[in-house]
Each structure stands twice: as C-alpha cells, then as structure tokens.
Amino acid sequence: MALDHTASGVYVIAPTPFHDDGRVDEASTDRMTDFFMEAGATGITVLGVMGEAPKLDQAEALSIATRMIKRASIPIVVGVSAPGFAAMRALARGSMDAGAAGVMIAPPNTLRTDDQIVTYYRQAVEAIGADVPFVLQDYPLLFQVQMTPGVIKRIVTDNPSCVMLKAEDWPGLEKISTLRAWQAEGSLRPISILCGNGGLFIDFEVERGADGAMTGYAFPDMLVEVVGKLQAGQRDSAHDLFDAHLPLIRYEQQFGLGLAVRKYVMKRRGIIASDAQRKPGGMLSAKAVAEVEYLLGRLAQHDPRAKV
Amino acid sequence: MALDHTASGVYVIAPTPFHDDGRVDEASTDRMTDFFMEAGATGITVLGVMGEAPKLDQAEALSIATRMIKRASIPIVVGVSAPGFAAMRALARGSMDAGAAGVMIAPPNTLRTDDQIVTYYRQAVEAIGADVPFVLQDYPLLFQVQMTPGVIKRIVTDNPSCVMLKAEDWPGLEKISTLRAWQAEGSLRPISILCGNGGLFIDFEVERGADGAMTGYAFPDMLVEVVGKLQAGQRDSAHDLFDAHLPLIRYEQQFGLGLAVRKYVMKRRGIIASDAQRKPGGMLSAKAVAEVEYLLGRLAQHDPRAKV
Amino acid sequence: MALDHTASGVYVIAPTPFHDDGRVDEASTDRMTDFFMEAGATGITVLGVMGEAPKLDQAEALSIATRMIKRASIPIVVGVSAPGFAAMRALARGSMDAGAAGVMIAPPNTLRTDDQIVTYYRQAVEAIGADVPFVLQDYPLLFQVQMTPGVIKRIVTDNPSCVMLKAEDWPGLEKISTLRAWQAEGSLRPISILCGNGGLFIDFEVERGADGAMTGYAFPDMLVEVVGKLQAGQRDSAHDLFDAHLPLIRYEQQFGLGLAVRKYVMKRRGIIASDAQRKPGGMLSAKAVAEVEYLLGRLAQHDPRAKV
Amino acid sequence: MALDHTASGVYVIAPTPFHDDGRVDEASTDRMTDFFMEAGATGITVLGVMGEAPKLDQAEALSIATRMIKRASIPIVVGVSAPGFAAMRALARGSMDAGAAGVMIAPPNTLRTDDQIVTYYRQAVEAIGADVPFVLQDYPLLFQVQMTPGVIKRIVTDNPSCVMLKAEDWPGLEKISTLRAWQAEGSLRPISILCGNGGLFIDFEVERGADGAMTGYAFPDMLVEVVGKLQAGQRDSAHDLFDAHLPLIRYEQQFGLGLAVRKYVMKRRGIIASDAQRKPGGMLSAKAVAEVEYLLGRLAQHDPRAKV
C-alpha cells in the first residue's frame, strides 16, 4: 500500500495520546486509530508537528508508528523530520519496514535560498532511499522556510519519490492554482495535494485543485464530509457545514495552543483518555476551556457530533 | 482631544486610498473618513501597516494625516513607526501640531531581548516627547518581536505617555487576561486595550477585558455592533453576527493579500474609488475575486450591508 | 562622473560626524572628506549602515550627501535604502541632482525567496529611475537576506544600471570567484566588485577577483596600500601590512560596537572632533577604550600612522 | 570527575573524524584524543556543533562519546542538544553513565523572550536530572537566541547544576565583565566561563575574567599557551603568539566553511586521517586550500608547529 500521487480525501494528522504522567497511552492510540477509520479518513499521518514527534525518543517514535500501522487498514504516513539525515534515515527505514505507506519531511528552519531548499530534499532522498515515497511539507508560518511554486516544481522534478505536497502556506490558494496550471500544461508531473492549516481554507482549497486535506482538526469526520461535498460539486452545502465549524476551527488555529484545544475536544468526544501533552506544551486556562465549551454548544445546534 | 486610557469602541485602521496611477485619492479619503464616522467608529488610525505608510514619502504621510484630522470629529491616531528616531519625531510632532489625538509606534523587527524592547520604547518617547500619547503595537506575527506581558508592563510603567495597547498577538487571549488581572490587583496602571488581527478573535477579546477593536476589516460597522453587543452583555447575539462575517474575516486574514481583499470590498461598498495599491502590493486573481464575491453573497443572506 | 563597472580601489564608507549633542558636525565632515582624498580613496560612500543613515531625517540626509559631493573631487555614492520606494526615490533623485555618482541599495530584511529579492530590485529601479547607477549591497549577516550568485546574476542581468556589487557575504570568497568565472565565460556582464566587512578578508578578496574595498576601517590609508600592493602582485608585502592591522580590524568587527571603535580611532587620529553617535548607539566602556589603545600601541610598532 | 565551576584552561571542541565514506573513524578518534591531552588541554567537548552531532544517530553519538571518555584522562563534556527532551535525556543519562564529566546544552533557535529561554533550561534540567552538571552555551550568531547577562544570571540561579558558561556571543567582552562584576559583588554565584568563537577574542577574554577557552581551532596547543601566558600576566608575549595565528584563526571563522578548514589543517598536522564531513557539509575549493597553505606557510615563520 505505497503512497502515490492518486491519494485523496482526508489524511488525519494524529496526535500522540499520553497518559497524565507523560507515558504513551496505547489504548487511546488504538481507539483513536479506529475512530479515524470510522470517520471516513483515507489515511493517517503520525509523528507530525501535532504528534509531538520531537518529544519522543527514537524507540518510542517507531513503536507508535508501528502500532498504528498494524491496527489500521488505511495508509499510514510517518513524519521523519529530524535534525540530521542519520536519524531521519533510521526512522524512515524502520517505518517502511513496519509497513508505512510513505514518510513526510519538513524543512529545517535554517534553510533560506531556493538552492538550499532543493539541495536539502535531494540529500534527504539520498539518505532515506529513493524507493521511499515522501510527502513534501510546505508550512512557512511554522518552519520559516518559504518555498515558491518554482522550488516545489524543482523538488518534484528532481525526486520521483516525491508523491504528495502537504500544502499549508498561508496564503496558499494561488500556489495550488499555479501548481495545477503547470500540471495542466504538462510542465509538472502529477502529485497529490492535501491541505493543512487546520482546515481553515479547505472550503476553497479543493476548488482550487487540492485532492483533500491532511490536517488534524478535532472533527475529522466533518472534514471528510466537506471534502466529499466539494468533490461532488455541492458547493453551498459544503460551505454551510464548514461555516458552522469555522468558529471552532479558527479557535484551534492558535499557535502553541491549538493542540491543547484539539486534544481537549478529542477527549470530550471520548476518542482519547487524557489531553496531556509532554513538555513543552500549551495548556488551556479555565477561561479557554469555557470558551471551547461555548463554541461546542453553539456548534451542536448545527452539528449533532458536537453534543459531547 | 488627546488619546487616553479610557478609549474604547472601534478605532478603524484606515487604508490609504490611491488612484489607479498611484496618486493619493483625496476625495476617497474624505468619503472614507465620513463613512467611518457614520459607521459608529470612535476613532481612526492612519498610516498603520495597512495604510501602506512606508510607501509614502514624508510630505505625503503628513498631508494624509492632516487631511483626516481636519475632516473628522473623532480622534485620529497616526502611525509614526520609522527606521530611525529623527523621522519618527518629525512625523509625530507634525501630526500632533495638526491636531492628532496620539501616535502609534511599532517595534522594529530587529529587537529580540526584553531589555532591547523596553529600551527602544524609552528612546522613542525621548525622541517624540513625553507629552505625546502613544499606542504600543504588539503584533509578533508581522513584526517578529515577541513582548511578554511583563515587557508590556515595563513599557507602560516606564512611560506615562503609553495610554493604549494595540493587542494583536496570536494567540492573544491569555495576554489580555493577564494584563487585566494585574490592573485588578493594582500592579499595573489602567490602559486602553484595543484588538487587531482583523477582528478574528474579537468575539472573545472583549470578554477577556479588551475595550474594543483597532483593526481594519471591510465592515467596521459590524465590528462596532459586535463590540457594542458584547459590552451590553448580549453574548449570543454578538456571536451570531460575528459568525456570519467570520468566513470573510478569515479570508481577509491572508498575509500580503488581506489589504487587497479589504480594498476590493471597500470599493464594492462604494467607500473608495479604486482598490489600487502602491508597489509592492498583493493583487487579487480572478479566482480570488470570485471567491470574495461568493462570500459576500453568502454574507448578504445574514447581513444586508453585504448586498453590494 | 557617473559610477560604472570600472570602479576600483577603495571607496571609504563614511561615518556621519556628530557633535556631542547630536547635531551634525559640518566642520568634521569637511575635514574627513579631505582626509579620505589624501588617503588615496578613489571614492566615498555616505549614508550607509555605518553612516547612521536611518537616524537622520530626510532633509539632514540630503544635506550631508550634498555637502560631501560639493567638497570632494572623487565620486560619491549615496546610500538610499529606505522602508519604501517613495522615500528611496526622493533621496536618490535628490542626490543625483546634487551630483552623486550613484546610489547604494540594501535589501529589506523581510525578503526571503530568490524571486522576492529579484523583484525587489526591479521595483527599486523602477522607483529611482533606470538612469541612476546603483550598487547592490550583499550583506547577509546584517540584513538577513541571502543572495546566491545566481540571484546576483539575475539582478545584474535584469538591471543595466546595476554597476557594482558591495560584497560582504561571510564567507564570501567563493562567491567572488564564481561571479568572476561567469564573467570570464561570458555569461555575466562586467561589474565592479568592492568588498566590505571592515576589510577582514581583503587580503584574499582582491586575489579572488575583487576590484578593491568599500568599507570603513579607521585606517582607510592602509586599505588603499594593501589593495595597491595586491593589484601590483606584491603579495607577501600586502599580507605583512594587513596582518599588522588585523588585531584592530578584528576588534572593529563587533556588531553594534564596531562604529564606536571606528569613530574613537578616527577622533584619536584627529579626523573628526567627537565620536558621538545618535541613539541607539553602542558605547565603549573604559575597558574597551584601554583595549583599543593597547592595540593601537602594538600597531604603532609596525605602522607609524597608529602613533596617535 | 564531575565538571564544576573551577574548570579552567582549554576544553577542546572535538570534531568527529570520519572515513572518506562517512563511517566514523575510530583510530583517528583515539589519536585525536591523545593529541588533545598532549597539547595540554584540560578537557574535551564532544558532539558539539563542530562535532557534526546532528548528523549522527543516537547509537553512534553515544558510542563516540563513550570511546573518548574511556580513552581520556581529562574531563569529557558531551553535547546533548536535541529537538526534544526525550532524546536529550537519553543521551545525557547514557553519557553520564559512561563517565562523562558533564553535558552541554544549546538553546533551540525558536526561543525568543527572556522567559522562554529561562523556562527552556528549567525544563531541560528536569529532563536530564538535576544531578548532571551542565554547560550553558551562549552563541547567538549561530543559534539566533540572544541571552542578556540577566537571563544568564536567572538560569545560573535557578539551576545549581549549571556550572559553566560557554561564552561565544559576539561581541561578548562586556558580557564577561558584567557577569564577573556580579560575582564580585555577590549577586551571582561562581561559574566557570570558557570562551568560543574559534578563539577570535581570547586575547582579551581572559583579561575580562574568562577562565579560558572552549573552542576548536586547529592549533589547540597555541590556545593552551596563550591562555597560560595571559593567566601568568605575560600580556605582550600572549598577544605576540596570538597575533601570529590570527590570520588563520580569522580564516577558520567562516560559517559553514570553518569546519572544513579545521579538519584540513588537523589532517595536515597528522591528527586525523581524513577531512571528510557527512552531508550537509562545506568543502574547500582548490583556491581555498591554496590560501590555507599560504597562511600555514606564513605562520610557520613564527610558530614551528605550522610546518606541516
């Protein structure tokens, strides 16, 4: 089940469930995996930024990835971003051996020029092996690395194993249009484009040519529906559902706090047992909890899934 | 009409209207000024980031500020951020002489440590004069300068002429709560807090203790209503109105493109004659225009002001 | 006397002399101008970073540039970097009208991608006029903008008015070699390359193909000699002189303090009356002054000019 | 042999020797360890930035540290900087179990405010254990994290296990003076201060109060002598030796190329067998090699150790 450019739908970015004392919560991991499949996800991405990957040691990381791969019947993508290529290779090969569909690679925040970015991905592919399908993560607001469409084109062209773009530039709509226009004219080979940023622009991204979402909003079942409606041409209906969730989506889009909101809501939905994060991690104040509850209450008037 | 800590309501961040050829459009400037007053704004801020201030030369900047000061019957705050204190002083003194209520100062993006930030504001006050009321602009996402609540407290305490915080950290809700808690316990003197970020969190910011908004969404009349409802305790009604606008507010929150959206909508509302920006400036593609029109159409179902 | 690609030798980066109270010191400005010519400088650059340009208002800046242009019989380059194109244009046109040989433009520190840098310089040329010869300043350590040789090539090719590179990347030797190799093979038109960084690598930069230096070490007369010796093939002799100055050159290369050292030494040499800087500015502690004096004493054993 | 605040002299930053094919070169590692001891080093630091630590996987890193610990009769400090606390803890505990004297922790380049820096070190100590002596690395030019003297004081005061500062701010002389003044007045407890930056300011740093150097210039034997002379009050003699090396020290201070120069010279001195680096790594061009050889030739006139 190797990842390729035909991937579409919703790949859910999985958080890593912890017990309150910081140990990995395996039962919650299993329950969450099942939930994502029931929600209609077409794939799952583990060990991304929102998976608290850097807070795990090498053995823990591989263990979590392996557990989800074994349990899921949908493709699992494993985030293998690392400060050096030796560690990246170790996790990538280990994950693929365990049955991962592919890996995801974010750029280190020290890259600046176009050439530096292109060189980095060439060396990364050398390190992990050209046989490992990989997702290119374009997330300038967090990583401080700005990839123009031209740079993405160079990476895709240089590396046949690049099969997907996780598009979370902000703003990013024109970038999707540009890449799809290049494909239409034949100057860029097909890749899958799945969008991030918590889904904040998913209502337009699919119309611009994205194949769906790869993100981690606490209602991935809603994302599945919205993407489905958009792909079916049900524009107004898609926006109606999306707009009902937008106040909460927006609230989740708070850097450093977003994961706390997401884990809190997933706990309230019964998906995970605890919303604990390993250090360093954001925590919801009592006021923030009340705000989330208020938003859930308002959402429940439109979407019964929010009745928690 | 000097700015002081009692300021509340909505201070609209004014764009600078240009003709298509790049000249300042004085007729649109007047019409826009009138519109803001009719919309219920309690103040106007000119020459901020969204006012394309760095693209004006010194004479143009002072001329625009003076024109709005003369026309408006509400307080005008003038952005005087500059690469050096000599230029800052010239614009600040000129604006105050023309009748401005106060000035706004953003930190240069080279400041890093707490002490550097505090020192900068002390020297800025020396430059413009301790008699000029000023607004402290806290906008880390754009300026790359991170002020903790403690740093804001030091600036407010060191400089009696600091009367207002333009709060646009993201996330920023806890910062407002912290500052207000310090005031409640008496360790921080009163200041006005008006919020930015295009209003994206105004539905909760007022409840956290903000006095209103200082931002530039294309429907400032909506911001006035929402702030009013929240101040009157009409929480659900405020959220209903806010949520109807959120899809468009969110669409305006695209760095580098937001001003193009805002000017486009203001032009469609008949407030300004042209949505031209001076270089460098973002431009809306045909697809983006269609998306804005679609959002306006949906909004018009809830708010007749969007029928344009 | 328009600047062109044949410029060579030493263009001295001029500090702006102030009185102790912060007013511009015109007598020192004149004396300094004369000194630079007597020292054998082939040109002078005013209003650069080390000229405290951002601390001057628009009228002061033009006044200083004009004064030096009138007094000097060698070409004057005027730094016109500004936060926006309107101010840049005003200073550039004013300086050229006053008789400047050309202008120098540094990139704003918000530029990241190759395309952003190239676009910026295209728009800058549109703003100041294609008839104004300009120097491209490449100083990543200070400006946080990284230009690859390829980006420099694009700027030079796009803009015929780009006649010189102020090369102060660090490390920068390979960049000079690459650009000169491109010129040798005919893929890049000739430009002058003058080097900065306080002269810290001038002993090798000329051999790599640079035409000389554009920098502001307190002994420009030494730089003139070293460049001359290198151009005459007197390698060992050039290094002997350079090495004697290196401890002080190194001491001047302290970000935020370097100008204080430079002004102090220039005052001790009788070139300027005061080493005052406008705020914000570094100041030498008593210990630092003693260290500089010790270095001057050691230098005087090799170079009598250091007997002050 | 636990590291404490009395550490002084020269702790050499060890590169990691590789074979040309990228495998760790154990024979060279042993020879290098012996050489550092013969050179008079009082300690060795492994797995620092110049040790290419991020390019090693977890097992390799611990293996290299352990090998040097077993072979050396002087204290070994192990760099344990990592993207997360789990990996940091694993390497720190493993190293201490193997007999390390202490560990070194650099701040992640995402830290900005004073509080963020202080919190990071508190959490790091929680992770590795308060019983592990650690070195605080202050290297703003590389890490983009600026620690004021006040922040260093807070970290030292909060964490009794902080026993040493690796001081490589630039400029950094005043910082050393400030910290020592605080100790003299009793407001800061004693810590060891060893200086980095390739030794570029070691001639003054010891006089400002530093206990020596922790850096990796290719002639650590020279650093040992210079520090010894300065500690013995032989100022002129120390500067004579230092100045002879300064042209090469300066040449090594080229970001991204410095390690290539250092490894090349160490290979020429017969200390390591190959100057290979793992990717990504800088490489010396033929011109750069010729420049290094020229500098070695000139240096050999003053210091016979450079006759290679």
Side-chain angles (χ1 to χ4, degrees), chain A residues 40-53:
Chain A
T42 46
I44 301 173
T45 302
V46 293
L47 304 181
V49 173
M50 285 305 192
E52 301 179 63

PDB file of all heavy atoms in Angstrom, chain A residues 40-53:
ATOM      1  N   GLY A  40     -14.132   7.984   8.214  1.00  0.00           N
ATOM      2  CA  GLY A  40     -14.017   8.055   6.762  1.00  0.00           C
ATOM      3  C   GLY A  40     -12.666   8.547   6.259  1.00  0.00           C
ATOM      4  O   GLY A  40     -12.517   8.844   5.068  1.00  0.00           O
ATOM      5  N   ALA A  41     -11.696   8.632   7.163  1.00  0.00           N
ATOM      6  CA  ALA A  41     -10.369   9.058   6.727  1.00  0.00           C
ATOM      7  C   ALA A  41      -9.835   8.088   5.684  1.00  0.00           C
ATOM      8  O   ALA A  41     -10.067   6.878   5.772  1.00  0.00           O
ATOM      9  CB  ALA A  41      -9.412   9.125   7.919  1.00  0.00           C
ATOM     10  N   THR A  42      -9.101   8.621   4.705  1.00  0.00           N
ATOM     11  CA  THR A  42      -8.475   7.761   3.700  1.00  0.00           C
ATOM     12  C   THR A  42      -7.026   7.439   4.065  1.00  0.00           C
ATOM     13  O   THR A  42      -6.396   6.626   3.398  1.00  0.00           O
ATOM     14  CB  THR A  42      -8.511   8.442   2.321  1.00  0.00           C
ATOM     15  OG1 THR A  42      -8.089   9.803   2.470  1.00  0.00           O
ATOM     16  CG2 THR A  42      -9.918   8.409   1.758  1.00  0.00           C
ATOM     17  N   GLY A  43      -6.532   8.094   5.104  1.00  0.00           N
ATOM     18  CA  GLY A  43      -5.171   7.839   5.568  1.00  0.00           C
ATOM     19  C   GLY A  43      -4.941   8.516   6.896  1.00  0.00           C
ATOM     20  O   GLY A  43      -5.789   9.286   7.371  1.00  0.00           O
ATOM     21  N   ILE A  44      -3.816   8.192   7.517  1.00  0.00           N
ATOM     22  CA  ILE A  44      -3.443   8.806   8.797  1.00  0.00           C
ATOM     23  C   ILE A  44      -1.971   9.185   8.732  1.00  0.00           C
ATOM     24  O   ILE A  44      -1.157   8.444   8.178  1.00  0.00           O
ATOM     25  CB  ILE A  44      -3.678   7.838   9.991  1.00  0.00           C
ATOM     26  CG1 ILE A  44      -5.148   7.422  10.078  1.00  0.00           C
ATOM     27  CG2 ILE A  44      -3.224   8.478  11.309  1.00  0.00           C
ATOM     28  CD1 ILE A  44      -5.426   6.340  11.136  1.00  0.00           C
ATOM     29  N   THR A  45      -1.640  10.338   9.290  1.00  0.00           N
ATOM     30  CA  THR A  45      -0.244  10.763   9.374  1.00  0.00           C
ATOM     31  C   THR A  45       0.154  10.838  10.840  1.00  0.00           C
ATOM     32  O   THR A  45      -0.471  11.562  11.619  1.00  0.00           O
ATOM     33  CB  THR A  45      -0.059  12.138   8.703  1.00  0.00           C
ATOM     34  OG1 THR A  45      -0.483  12.039   7.343  1.00  0.00           O
ATOM     35  CG2 THR A  45       1.404  12.567   8.739  1.00  0.00           C
ATOM     36  N   VAL A  46       1.177  10.095  11.191  1.00  0.00           N
ATOM     37  CA  VAL A  46       1.636  10.102  12.589  1.00  0.00           C
ATOM     38  C   VAL A  46       2.985  10.803  12.692  1.00  0.00           C
ATOM     39  O   VAL A  46       3.716  10.924  11.714  1.00  0.00           O
ATOM     40  CB  VAL A  46       1.787   8.668  13.148  1.00  0.00           C
ATOM     41  CG1 VAL A  46       0.447   8.004  13.258  1.00  0.00           C
ATOM     42  CG2 VAL A  46       2.749   7.849  12.304  1.00  0.00           C
ATOM     43  N   LEU A  47       3.301  11.254  13.886  1.00  0.00           N
ATOM     44  CA  LEU A  47       4.603  11.860  14.174  1.00  0.00           C
ATOM     45  C   LEU A  47       4.848  13.153  13.396  1.00  0.00           C
ATOM     46  O   LEU A  47       5.982  13.491  13.069  1.00  0.00           O
ATOM     47  CB  LEU A  47       5.741  10.862  13.926  1.00  0.00           C
ATOM     48  CG  LEU A  47       5.644   9.537  14.680  1.00  0.00           C
ATOM     49  CD1 LEU A  47       6.853   8.670  14.338  1.00  0.00           C
ATOM     50  CD2 LEU A  47       5.555   9.764  16.170  1.00  0.00           C
ATOM     51  N   GLY A  48       3.766  13.870  13.122  1.00  0.00           N
ATOM     52  CA  GLY A  48       3.916  15.213  12.575  1.00  0.00           C
ATOM     53  C   GLY A  48       4.130  16.209  13.711  1.00  0.00           C
ATOM     54  O   GLY A  48       4.288  15.831  14.875  1.00  0.00           O
ATOM     55  N   VAL A  49       4.122  17.481  13.360  1.00  0.00           N
ATOM     56  CA  VAL A  49       4.305  18.520  14.370  1.00  0.00           C
ATOM     57  C   VAL A  49       3.287  18.352  15.492  1.00  0.00           C
ATOM     58  O   VAL A  49       3.621  18.427  16.671  1.00  0.00           O
ATOM     59  CB  VAL A  49       4.132  19.913  13.726  1.00  0.00           C
ATOM     60  CG1 VAL A  49       4.158  21.002  14.783  1.00  0.00           C
ATOM     61  CG2 VAL A  49       5.210  20.150  12.686  1.00  0.00           C
ATOM     62  N   MET A  50       2.034  18.114  15.113  1.00  0.00           N
ATOM     63  CA  MET A  50       0.978  17.998  16.096  1.00  0.00           C
ATOM     64  C   MET A  50       0.996  16.630  16.783  1.00  0.00           C
ATOM     65  O   MET A  50       0.200  16.389  17.682  1.00  0.00           O
ATOM     66  CB  MET A  50      -0.378  18.260  15.441  1.00  0.00           C
ATOM     67  CG  MET A  50      -0.611  19.730  15.152  1.00  0.00           C
ATOM     68  SD  MET A  50      -0.409  20.758  16.656  1.00  0.00           S
ATOM     69  CE  MET A  50      -1.090  22.324  16.054  1.00  0.00           C
ATOM     70  N   GLY A  51       1.879  15.767  16.343  1.00  0.00           N
ATOM     71  CA  GLY A  51       2.052  14.473  17.011  1.00  0.00           C
ATOM     72  C   GLY A  51       3.126  14.538  18.078  1.00  0.00           C
ATOM     73  O   GLY A  51       3.502  13.506  18.644  1.00  0.00           O
ATOM     74  N   GLU A  52       3.602  15.748  18.358  1.00  0.00           N
ATOM     75  CA  GLU A  52       4.642  15.947  19.389  1.00  0.00           C
ATOM     76  C   GLU A  52       5.858  15.070  19.118  1.00  0.00           C
ATOM     77  O   GLU A  52       6.532  14.599  20.043  1.00  0.00           O
ATOM     78  CB  GLU A  52       4.070  15.684  20.792  1.00  0.00           C
ATOM     79  CG  GLU A  52       2.885  16.603  21.110  1.00  0.00           C
ATOM     80  CD  GLU A  52       2.273  16.363  22.494  1.00  0.00           C
ATOM     81  OE1 GLU A  52       2.963  16.566  23.505  1.00  0.00           O
ATOM     82  OE2 GLU A  52       1.078  15.972  22.546  1.00  0.00           O
ATOM     83  N   ALA A  53       6.173  14.875  17.840  1.00  0.00           N
ATOM     84  CA  ALA A  53       7.242  13.964  17.452  1.00  0.00           C
ATOM     85  C   ALA A  53       8.581  14.260  18.113  1.00  0.00           C
ATOM     86  O   ALA A  53       9.258  13.348  18.593  1.00  0.00           O
ATOM     87  CB  ALA A  53       7.391  13.952  15.926  1.00  0.00           C
TER      88      ALA A  53
END
